[in-house]
Amino acid sequence: MSEQEVVGVLGAGRAGTAFARVMLRVGIGVDLCSTRPPKALQHHLKIYAPGAEAVWPDQIGVRTARQGPGIVILAVPQEDMDGVDPSWLYTTGPEPLVLVDATNTWHDEELPSWLQAALDEQLPSSYGIAGRFGQTRVVKALNHISHHDLEKFADAELPLDQRRAVALAGDDDAARGRVMGLLVRMGFDPVSLGGLAASRPIEPEGPLFDRPLRREEILRFAQ
Ligand SMILES: NC(=O)c1ccc[n+]([C@@H]2O[C@H](COP(=O)([O-])OP(=O)(O)OC[C@H]3O[C@@H](n4cnc5c(N)ncnc54)[C@H](OP(=O)(O)O)[C@@H]3O)[C@@H](O)[C@H]2O)c1
């Protein structure tokens, strides 16, 4: 019997638990962490993501990395990102972790200086994330769909062309391919925009943010 696929999710709020619920329902195992110790978090997960495992933050990439290029989804508000230690995402495995940046910049948030510096240079926020977590391969995805829509529209039973399309962007082809595979298993029709520089349209003020999308609409913005 093949080992169950496991994905790590950093952040157990609205987004993190919705990602977990969608993955759990298609048989993907989920490790989750937050600021709470695993014992306290496990109570929260019994309600919000039953079946997910609560782990310490420095364990978030461990199980997923046993299966080749592991995947961790980043679902912590950007204003709290200084509390996320980059060393948690270091793996001694043969391949670096793929980090799915599902975060957004909200202008009422006070951002860490390293992230603000990227924005001041007119770069997409995913550049700041990629610089901070340089030991991972960052793919921007899952940030432009609300947690309500995520659960409502993920449908792995539908043929691809009838599913909700979601966009992703990342500089590493293999990492992008890995995240595309995950999004297909979750029940979406993933469409690549290109490298991280092409991630602007899925940022909060972009034309692809929080809208029902079909493949052709996303492809119009692909680089
Ligand atoms: N909500 C959505 O529909 C949605 C959809 C897609 C993307 N996003 C993006 O995802 C990000 C998170 O949004 P959210 O709505 O899920 O926020 P949220 O409900 O406030 O949840 C934030 C989570 O991050 C955890 N956290 C904070 N600091 C941490 C740290 N240093 N280490 C580990 N975990 C930490 C919190 O832990 P505790 O539980 O211990 O407090 C909490 O579980 C935002 O950038 C948002 O734009 C949101």
Side-chain angles (χ1 to χ4, degrees), residues 10-16 34-36 75-78 80 83-84 88 102-104 106 142-143 145-147:
L10 227 160
R14 288 160 295 186
S34 75
T35 62
R36 296 173 241 191
V76 170
Q78 290 186 348
D80 296 327
V84 176
W88 299 341
T103 71
N104 291 301
W106 301 109
L142 285 172
N143 67 300
I145 179 164
S146 75
H147 63 286

mmCIF file of all heavy atoms in Angstrom, residues 10-16 34-36 75-78 80 83-84 88 102-104 106 142-143 145-147, ligand 1:
data_model
loop_
_atom_site.group_PDB
_atom_site.id
_atom_site.type_symbol
_atom_site.label_atom_id
_atom_site.label_comp_id
_atom_site.label_asym_id
_atom_site.label_seq_id
_atom_site.Cartn_x
_atom_site.Cartn_y
_atom_site.Cartn_z
ATOM 1 N N LEU A 10 0.907 25.971 7.711
ATOM 2 C CA LEU A 10 1.398 26.851 8.770
ATOM 3 C C LEU A 10 0.350 27.949 8.985
ATOM 4 O O LEU A 10 0.173 28.824 8.138
ATOM 5 C CB LEU A 10 2.708 27.464 8.268
ATOM 6 C CG LEU A 10 3.879 27.464 9.221
ATOM 7 C CD1 LEU A 10 5.171 27.624 8.460
ATOM 8 C CD2 LEU A 10 3.711 28.545 10.251
ATOM 9 N N GLY A 11 -0.374 27.858 10.094
ATOM 10 C CA GLY A 11 -1.475 28.792 10.362
ATOM 11 C C GLY A 11 -2.779 28.016 10.369
ATOM 12 O O GLY A 11 -3.095 27.317 9.405
ATOM 13 N N ALA A 12 -3.528 28.124 11.491
ATOM 14 C CA ALA A 12 -4.734 27.309 11.648
ATOM 15 C C ALA A 12 -5.969 28.180 11.825
ATOM 16 O O ALA A 12 -6.868 27.869 12.590
ATOM 17 C CB ALA A 12 -4.563 26.381 12.844
ATOM 18 N N GLY A 13 -5.996 29.295 11.088
ATOM 19 C CA GLY A 13 -7.149 30.190 11.153
ATOM 20 C C GLY A 13 -8.149 29.851 10.060
ATOM 21 O O GLY A 13 -8.269 28.693 9.655
ATOM 22 N N ARG A 14 -8.836 30.894 9.566
ATOM 23 C CA ARG A 14 -9.885 30.649 8.553
ATOM 24 C C ARG A 14 -9.323 29.980 7.321
ATOM 25 O O ARG A 14 -9.858 28.985 6.818
ATOM 26 C CB ARG A 14 -10.559 31.979 8.179
ATOM 27 C CG ARG A 14 -11.447 32.504 9.267
ATOM 28 C CD ARG A 14 -11.702 33.956 9.127
ATOM 29 N NE ARG A 14 -10.463 34.731 9.306
ATOM 30 C CZ ARG A 14 -10.389 36.045 9.354
ATOM 31 N NH1 ARG A 14 -11.480 36.766 9.205
ATOM 32 N NH2 ARG A 14 -9.231 36.658 9.533
ATOM 33 N N ALA A 15 -8.221 30.527 6.794
ATOM 34 C CA ALA A 15 -7.660 29.961 5.560
ATOM 35 C C ALA A 15 -7.024 28.594 5.813
ATOM 36 O O ALA A 15 -7.329 27.611 5.121
ATOM 37 C CB ALA A 15 -6.639 30.930 4.967
ATOM 38 N N GLY A 16 -6.157 28.508 6.817
ATOM 39 C CA GLY A 16 -5.411 27.269 7.057
ATOM 40 C C GLY A 16 -6.327 26.079 7.296
ATOM 41 O O GLY A 16 -6.114 24.988 6.753
ATOM 42 N N SER A 34 0.192 26.339 14.705
ATOM 43 C CA SER A 34 -0.166 27.749 14.914
ATOM 44 C C SER A 34 0.713 28.265 16.048
ATOM 45 O O SER A 34 1.768 27.693 16.304
ATOM 46 C CB SER A 34 -1.659 27.865 15.248
ATOM 47 O OG SER A 34 -1.900 27.438 16.568
ATOM 48 N N THR A 35 0.288 29.320 16.731
ATOM 49 C CA THR A 35 1.091 29.792 17.861
ATOM 50 C C THR A 35 0.855 28.913 19.091
ATOM 51 O O THR A 35 1.551 29.033 20.080
ATOM 52 C CB THR A 35 0.730 31.241 18.240
ATOM 53 O OG1 THR A 35 -0.631 31.272 18.646
ATOM 54 C CG2 THR A 35 0.925 32.204 17.074
ATOM 55 N N ARG A 36 -0.187 28.062 18.991
ATOM 56 C CA ARG A 36 -0.527 27.236 20.165
ATOM 57 C C ARG A 36 0.239 25.925 20.185
ATOM 58 O O ARG A 36 0.509 25.364 19.129
ATOM 59 C CB ARG A 36 -2.024 26.892 20.130
ATOM 60 C CG ARG A 36 -2.913 28.085 20.253
ATOM 61 C CD ARG A 36 -4.350 27.701 20.032
ATOM 62 N NE ARG A 36 -4.869 28.426 18.884
ATOM 63 C CZ ARG A 36 -6.156 28.473 18.567
ATOM 64 N NH1 ARG A 36 -7.045 27.812 19.272
ATOM 65 N NH2 ARG A 36 -6.546 29.167 17.520
ATOM 66 N N ALA A 75 -0.147 30.105 5.721
ATOM 67 C CA ALA A 75 -1.457 30.751 5.901
ATOM 68 C C ALA A 75 -1.469 31.556 7.208
ATOM 69 O O ALA A 75 -2.388 31.453 8.017
ATOM 70 C CB ALA A 75 -2.560 29.693 5.888
ATOM 71 N N VAL A 76 -0.411 32.334 7.396
ATOM 72 C CA VAL A 76 -0.265 33.219 8.560
ATOM 73 C C VAL A 76 -0.399 34.651 8.042
ATOM 74 O O VAL A 76 0.147 34.969 6.981
ATOM 75 C CB VAL A 76 1.134 33.013 9.201
ATOM 76 C CG1 VAL A 76 1.444 34.068 10.244
ATOM 77 C CG2 VAL A 76 1.234 31.616 9.821
ATOM 78 N N PRO A 77 -1.127 35.534 8.741
ATOM 79 C CA PRO A 77 -1.221 36.917 8.258
ATOM 80 C C PRO A 77 0.165 37.530 8.075
ATOM 81 O O PRO A 77 1.073 37.281 8.888
ATOM 82 C CB PRO A 77 -2.001 37.629 9.369
ATOM 83 C CG PRO A 77 -2.769 36.542 10.056
ATOM 84 C CD PRO A 77 -1.899 35.319 9.978
ATOM 85 N N GLN A 78 0.336 38.336 7.049
ATOM 86 C CA GLN A 78 1.666 38.910 6.783
ATOM 87 C C GLN A 78 2.157 39.747 7.954
ATOM 88 O O GLN A 78 3.349 39.811 8.224
ATOM 89 C CB GLN A 78 1.633 39.724 5.484
ATOM 90 C CG GLN A 78 1.483 38.841 4.259
ATOM 91 C CD GLN A 78 1.594 39.597 2.948
ATOM 92 O OE1 GLN A 78 1.563 40.826 2.925
ATOM 93 N NE2 GLN A 78 1.704 38.855 1.854
ATOM 94 N N ASP A 80 2.010 39.062 10.940
ATOM 95 C CA ASP A 80 2.565 38.179 11.986
ATOM 96 C C ASP A 80 3.785 37.409 11.503
ATOM 97 O O ASP A 80 4.292 36.528 12.209
ATOM 98 C CB ASP A 80 1.502 37.154 12.432
ATOM 99 C CG ASP A 80 0.312 37.810 13.092
ATOM 100 O OD1 ASP A 80 0.514 38.843 13.766
ATOM 101 O OD2 ASP A 80 -0.816 37.307 12.923
ATOM 102 N N GLY A 83 7.039 36.292 13.295
ATOM 103 C CA GLY A 83 6.992 35.184 14.259
ATOM 104 C C GLY A 83 7.225 33.826 13.616
ATOM 105 O O GLY A 83 7.289 32.810 14.312
ATOM 106 N N VAL A 84 7.302 33.796 12.289
ATOM 107 C CA VAL A 84 7.518 32.517 11.587
ATOM 108 C C VAL A 84 9.015 32.377 11.334
ATOM 109 O O VAL A 84 9.597 33.132 10.549
ATOM 110 C CB VAL A 84 6.721 32.472 10.259
ATOM 111 C CG1 VAL A 84 7.012 31.191 9.495
ATOM 112 C CG2 VAL A 84 5.226 32.606 10.533
ATOM 113 N N TRP A 88 12.172 26.751 10.548
ATOM 114 C CA TRP A 88 11.133 25.710 10.589
ATOM 115 C C TRP A 88 10.983 25.042 9.212
ATOM 116 O O TRP A 88 10.518 23.920 9.113
ATOM 117 C CB TRP A 88 9.763 26.285 10.953
ATOM 118 C CG TRP A 88 9.667 26.935 12.288
ATOM 119 C CD1 TRP A 88 10.520 26.779 13.353
ATOM 120 C CD2 TRP A 88 8.659 27.858 12.721
ATOM 121 N NE1 TRP A 88 10.098 27.539 14.411
ATOM 122 C CE2 TRP A 88 8.958 28.208 14.050
ATOM 123 C CE3 TRP A 88 7.533 28.422 12.122
ATOM 124 C CZ2 TRP A 88 8.174 29.089 14.782
ATOM 125 C CZ3 TRP A 88 6.734 29.299 12.849
ATOM 126 C CH2 TRP A 88 7.059 29.629 14.161
ATOM 127 N N ALA A 102 0.161 31.528 0.458
ATOM 128 C CA ALA A 102 -1.281 31.797 0.317
ATOM 129 C C ALA A 102 -1.647 33.112 0.998
ATOM 130 O O ALA A 102 -2.812 33.356 1.300
ATOM 131 C CB ALA A 102 -2.074 30.644 0.921
ATOM 132 N N THR A 103 -0.657 33.967 1.250
ATOM 133 C CA THR A 103 -0.912 35.187 2.036
ATOM 134 C C THR A 103 -1.196 36.393 1.140
ATOM 135 O O THR A 103 -0.887 36.393 -0.044
ATOM 136 C CB THR A 103 0.292 35.515 2.939
ATOM 137 O OG1 THR A 103 1.396 35.966 2.133
ATOM 138 C CG2 THR A 103 0.722 34.313 3.749
ATOM 139 N N ASN A 104 -1.756 37.423 1.770
ATOM 140 C CA ASN A 104 -2.063 38.671 1.061
ATOM 141 C C ASN A 104 -1.618 39.870 1.866
ATOM 142 O O ASN A 104 -1.564 39.813 3.096
ATOM 143 C CB ASN A 104 -3.584 38.777 0.848
ATOM 144 C CG ASN A 104 -4.068 37.746 -0.133
ATOM 145 O OD1 ASN A 104 -3.632 37.709 -1.289
ATOM 146 N ND2 ASN A 104 -4.973 36.877 0.309
ATOM 147 N N TRP A 106 -2.644 43.368 3.224
ATOM 148 C CA TRP A 106 -3.787 44.238 3.501
ATOM 149 C C TRP A 106 -3.222 45.540 4.033
ATOM 150 O O TRP A 106 -2.369 45.527 4.922
ATOM 151 C CB TRP A 106 -4.735 43.576 4.518
ATOM 152 C CG TRP A 106 -5.245 42.263 4.009
ATOM 153 C CD1 TRP A 106 -4.903 41.029 4.462
ATOM 154 C CD2 TRP A 106 -6.151 42.054 2.922
ATOM 155 N NE1 TRP A 106 -5.545 40.066 3.721
ATOM 156 C CE2 TRP A 106 -6.319 40.657 2.777
ATOM 157 C CE3 TRP A 106 -6.854 42.905 2.053
ATOM 158 C CZ2 TRP A 106 -7.142 40.094 1.801
ATOM 159 C CZ3 TRP A 106 -7.673 42.342 1.086
ATOM 160 C CH2 TRP A 106 -7.813 40.956 0.963
ATOM 161 N N LEU A 142 -3.486 29.858 -3.947
ATOM 162 C CA LEU A 142 -4.535 29.689 -2.942
ATOM 163 C C LEU A 142 -4.821 30.962 -2.142
ATOM 164 O O LEU A 142 -5.599 30.929 -1.198
ATOM 165 C CB LEU A 142 -4.192 28.535 -1.970
ATOM 166 C CG LEU A 142 -4.365 27.128 -2.528
ATOM 167 C CD1 LEU A 142 -3.795 26.086 -1.545
ATOM 168 C CD2 LEU A 142 -5.836 26.815 -2.827
ATOM 169 N N ASN A 143 -4.178 32.079 -2.507
ATOM 170 C CA ASN A 143 -4.410 33.336 -1.786
ATOM 171 C C ASN A 143 -5.605 34.089 -2.341
ATOM 172 O O ASN A 143 -6.175 34.941 -1.670
ATOM 173 C CB ASN A 143 -3.181 34.240 -1.900
ATOM 174 C CG ASN A 143 -2.991 34.694 -3.341
ATOM 175 O OD1 ASN A 143 -2.813 33.851 -4.225
ATOM 176 N ND2 ASN A 143 -3.067 35.982 -3.605
ATOM 177 N N ILE A 145 -8.583 33.034 -3.417
ATOM 178 C CA ILE A 145 -9.927 32.457 -3.270
ATOM 179 C C ILE A 145 -10.272 32.473 -1.780
ATOM 180 O O ILE A 145 -9.443 32.128 -0.935
ATOM 181 C CB ILE A 145 -9.971 31.035 -3.886
ATOM 182 C CG1 ILE A 145 -11.362 30.414 -3.728
ATOM 183 C CG2 ILE A 145 -8.896 30.109 -3.347
ATOM 184 C CD1 ILE A 145 -11.584 29.205 -4.634
ATOM 185 N N SER A 146 -11.497 32.915 -1.449
ATOM 186 C CA SER A 146 -11.853 33.029 -0.029
ATOM 187 C C SER A 146 -12.048 31.637 0.567
ATOM 188 O O SER A 146 -12.289 30.671 -0.158
ATOM 189 C CB SER A 146 -13.151 33.821 0.122
ATOM 190 O OG SER A 146 -14.240 32.996 -0.263
ATOM 191 N N HIS A 147 -11.964 31.554 1.884
ATOM 192 C CA HIS A 147 -12.136 30.232 2.503
ATOM 193 C C HIS A 147 -13.534 29.676 2.250
ATOM 194 O O HIS A 147 -13.702 28.467 2.120
ATOM 195 C CB HIS A 147 -11.776 30.259 3.998
ATOM 196 C CG HIS A 147 -12.625 31.148 4.841
ATOM 197 N ND1 HIS A 147 -12.523 32.508 4.832
ATOM 198 C CD2 HIS A 147 -13.601 30.853 5.721
ATOM 199 C CE1 HIS A 147 -13.385 33.024 5.688
ATOM 200 N NE2 HIS A 147 -14.058 32.039 6.231
HETATM 201 N N1 LIG B 1 -9.557 33.971 5.169
HETATM 202 C C1 LIG B 1 -9.543 33.709 3.858
HETATM 203 O O1 LIG B 1 -10.601 33.521 3.205
HETATM 204 C C2 LIG B 1 -8.223 33.632 3.131
HETATM 205 C C3 LIG B 1 -8.161 32.953 1.910
HETATM 206 C C4 LIG B 1 -6.940 32.862 1.243
HETATM 207 C C5 LIG B 1 -5.814 33.459 1.803
HETATM 208 N N2 LIG B 1 -5.903 34.127 2.981
HETATM 209 C C6 LIG B 1 -4.688 34.745 3.559
HETATM 210 O O2 LIG B 1 -4.150 33.841 4.516
HETATM 211 C C7 LIG B 1 -3.529 34.596 5.586
HETATM 212 C C8 LIG B 1 -4.179 34.155 6.902
HETATM 213 O O3 LIG B 1 -5.532 34.569 6.890
HETATM 214 P P1 LIG B 1 -6.643 33.969 7.878
HETATM 215 O O4 LIG B 1 -7.913 34.600 7.469
HETATM 216 O O5 LIG B 1 -6.566 32.488 7.918
HETATM 217 O O6 LIG B 1 -6.137 34.556 9.275
HETATM 218 P P2 LIG B 1 -6.623 34.135 10.739
HETATM 219 O O7 LIG B 1 -7.978 33.516 10.681
HETATM 220 O O8 LIG B 1 -6.397 35.325 11.598
HETATM 221 O O9 LIG B 1 -5.585 32.968 11.173
HETATM 222 C C9 LIG B 1 -4.215 33.225 11.324
HETATM 223 C C10 LIG B 1 -3.515 31.973 11.833
HETATM 224 O O10 LIG B 1 -2.107 32.240 11.818
HETATM 225 C C11 LIG B 1 -1.572 31.724 13.036
HETATM 226 N N3 LIG B 1 -0.323 32.405 13.363
HETATM 227 C C12 LIG B 1 -0.108 33.715 13.629
HETATM 228 N N4 LIG B 1 1.208 33.927 13.914
HETATM 229 C C13 LIG B 1 1.809 32.712 13.804
HETATM 230 C C14 LIG B 1 3.134 32.265 13.986
HETATM 231 N N5 LIG B 1 4.109 33.109 14.318
HETATM 232 N N6 LIG B 1 3.402 30.953 13.843
HETATM 233 C C15 LIG B 1 2.423 30.072 13.511
HETATM 234 N N7 LIG B 1 1.126 30.437 13.307
HETATM 235 C C16 LIG B 1 0.835 31.734 13.474
HETATM 236 C C17 LIG B 1 -2.643 31.992 14.069
HETATM 237 O O11 LIG B 1 -2.370 31.172 15.184
HETATM 238 P P3 LIG B 1 -3.354 31.050 16.452
HETATM 239 O O12 LIG B 1 -4.526 30.245 15.951
HETATM 240 O O13 LIG B 1 -2.524 30.300 17.448
HETATM 241 O O14 LIG B 1 -3.692 32.444 16.860
HETATM 242 C C18 LIG B 1 -3.883 31.590 13.274
HETATM 243 O O15 LIG B 1 -4.084 30.198 13.350
HETATM 244 C C19 LIG B 1 -3.751 36.080 5.261
HETATM 245 O O16 LIG B 1 -2.611 36.612 4.626
HETATM 246 C C20 LIG B 1 -4.946 36.048 4.303
HETATM 247 O O17 LIG B 1 -4.991 37.155 3.413
HETATM 248 C C21 LIG B 1 -7.079 34.205 3.674
#
